[in-house]
């Protein structure tokens, strides 16, 4: 299921995440952007699982970040090991009110305050097979392009298509690789 709707005011908001999860996500997105990663929230993978955040580094590494906002959130979610099949590195991200010792040592760990995030533990690398890498990268690219198009249409409808979006659409604001 896509997180976008051409009928809503904001096609980039799907309404499934809590405010706290969105705050964690925002801080992690900023950290990853500072690391020159392209970041996409809520990507449905070939397995049917939905990654909270997936990123593509300048070197082509694929990272998945699973956001957990409470002990219970972590305890009830046992699907996270499946994400390893779709990424080179797997991370958890949380906030300061969640005890960090609940997260498995075999995954990376990020701590977010909603404005920024810090990598507390790097994730071990598990290189993807070439065919899987190609599949995940193509899904990432297609969904990102679709979301950009829908966001552009929504901004035009709402009279909000400003210079920043025009620059992105025109390619003049692309990040160097």
């Amino acid at each position: 299921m896509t997180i976008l709707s051409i009928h809503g005011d904001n096609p980039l908001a799907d309404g499934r995440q809590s405010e706290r999860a969105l705050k964690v996500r925002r801080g992690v997105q900023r950290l990853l952007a500072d690391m020159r990663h392209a970041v996409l929230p809520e990507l449905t993978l070939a397995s049917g699982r939905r990654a909270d955040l997936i990123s593509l580094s300048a070197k082509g590494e694929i990272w998945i970040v699973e956001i957990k906002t409470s002990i219970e959130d972590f305890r009830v979610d046992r699907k996270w090991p499946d994400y390893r099949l779709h990424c080179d590195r797997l991370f958890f991200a949380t906030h300061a009110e969640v005890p960090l010792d609940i997260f498995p040592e075999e995954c990376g760990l990020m701590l977010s305050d909603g404005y920024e995030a810090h990598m507390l533990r790097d994730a071990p690398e598990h290189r993807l097979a070439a065919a899987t890498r190609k599949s995940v990268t193509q899904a990432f690219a297609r969904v990102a392009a679709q979301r950009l198009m829908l966001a552009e249409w929504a901004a035009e409808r709402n009279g909000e298509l400003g210079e920043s979006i025009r620059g992105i659409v025109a390619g003049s604001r692309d990040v160097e690789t």
Side-chain angles (χ1 to χ4, degrees), residues 19-65:
E19 263 316 298
R20 183 153 322 253
L22 289 173
K23 280 184 169 183
V24 171
R25 182 171 99 181
R26 182 175 54 234
V28 172
Q29 285 173 307
R30 287 177 177 164
L31 171 66
L32 292 172
D34 286 346
M35 296 172 70
R36 298 183 56 218
H37 283 237
V39 185
L40 195 59
E42 305 298 332
L43 179 68
T44 301
L45 305 166
S47 65
R49 302 275 189 223
R50 195 180 71 245
D52 291 335
L53 283 174
I54 188 165
S55 74
L56 183 61
S57 77
K59 294 180 180 179
E61 267 195 350
I62 297 168
W63 292 9
I64 290 180
V65 180

Side-chain angles (χ1 to χ4, degrees), residues 61-173:
E61 267 195 350
I62 297 168
W63 292 9
I64 290 180
V65 180
E66 180 67 4
I67 296 171
K68 296 298 170 202
T69 59
S70 69
I71 295 172
E72 187 64 18
D73 184 17
F74 177 75
R75 192 172 290 145
V76 300
D77 180 5
R78 291 294 164 209
K79 66 185 183 301
W80 65 265
D82 297 344
Y83 293 130
R84 281 197 196 282
L85 303 174
H86 307 279
C87 64
D88 295 305
R89 296 179 190 266
L90 178 61
F91 293 84
F92 282 98
T94 193
H95 57 88
E97 295 174 29
V98 177
L100 301 177
D101 61 352
I102 68 170
F103 298 104
E105 290 286 328
E106 66 266 17
C107 297
L109 184 59
M110 298 177 188
L111 184 64
S112 172
D113 65 6
Y115 298 100
E116 61 184 358
H118 299 281
M119 188 179 307
L120 302 179
R121 181 174 60 233
D122 200 2
E125 184 179 49
H126 302 278
R127 298 290 295 171
L128 288 174
T132 304
R133 178 176 311 287
K134 179 180 178 182
S135 174
V136 173
T137 303
Q138 285 180 334
F140 185 103
R142 290 183 55 77
V143 169
Q146 289 170 338
R147 290 182 189 175
L148 178 59
M149 179 184 66
L150 292 174
E152 180 184 357
W153 289 351
E156 283 180 16
R157 275 195 316 275
N158 297 329
E160 300 168 357
L161 187 61
E163 288 307 310
S164 62
I165 292 178
R166 282 190 186 92
I168 291 168
V169 172
S172 62
R173 290 201 49 204

